[in-house]
């Protein structure tokens, strides 16, 4: 489990859509997200992620590399998030 924190310029054309697309592509790993408007053009987004570290790192690298992302940081923990849904 861990968090991915992004600071980005929300005025960058198509950036929010591209970031949302990546989150949807990895829907099993991206558990939740929170975004906060810091200023007219700056957005802070924090994603709660889980899964194998290499896969989470690849997701973080893909998101941080997007044009318009100012900075990003992945923080991994040696913990597992309990299942969100009870098995049938």
């Amino acid at each position: 489990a861990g968090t991915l924190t992004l600071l980005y310029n929300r005025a960058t054309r198509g950036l929010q859509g591209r970031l949302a697309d990546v989150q949807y592509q990895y829907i099993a790993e991206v558990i939740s997200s929170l975004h906060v408007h810091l200023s007219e053009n700056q957005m802070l987004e924090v994603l709660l992620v889980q899964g194998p570290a290499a896969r989470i790192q690849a997701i973080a690298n893909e998101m941080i590399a997007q044009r318009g992302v100012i900075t990003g940081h992945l923080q991994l923990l040696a913990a597992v998030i309990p299942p969100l849904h009870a098995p049938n």
Side-chain angles (χ1 to χ4, degrees):
T3 59
L4 172 57
T5 304
L6 301 170
L7 176 65
Y8 62 88
N9 182 342
R10 72 174 197 86
T12 301
R13 184 181 301 266
L15 176 59
Q16 289 178 294
R18 289 192 306 275
L19 292 174
D21 288 345
V22 173
Q23 291 179 47
Y24 184 75
Q25 180 181 353
Y26 298 102
I27 199 163
E29 290 81 15
V30 178
I31 303 305
S32 181
S33 67
L34 166 74
H35 68 264
V36 179
H37 300 264
L38 299 178
S39 67
E40 185 175 329
N41 289 325
Q42 285 193 336
M43 183 85 74
L44 175 69
E45 187 159 6
V46 180
L47 292 85
L48 178 60
V49 293
Q50 71 173 357
R55 188 162 176 88
I56 299 302
Q57 185 66 62
I59 294 167
N61 291 346
E62 184 174 349
M63 295 185 86
I64 292 168
Q66 296 291 322
R67 185 176 60 84
V69 174
I70 298 164
T71 190
H73 178 76
L74 176 64
Q75 179 67 51
L76 293 176
L77 306 170
V80 176
I81 298 170
L84 296 176
H85 302 285
N88 293 332

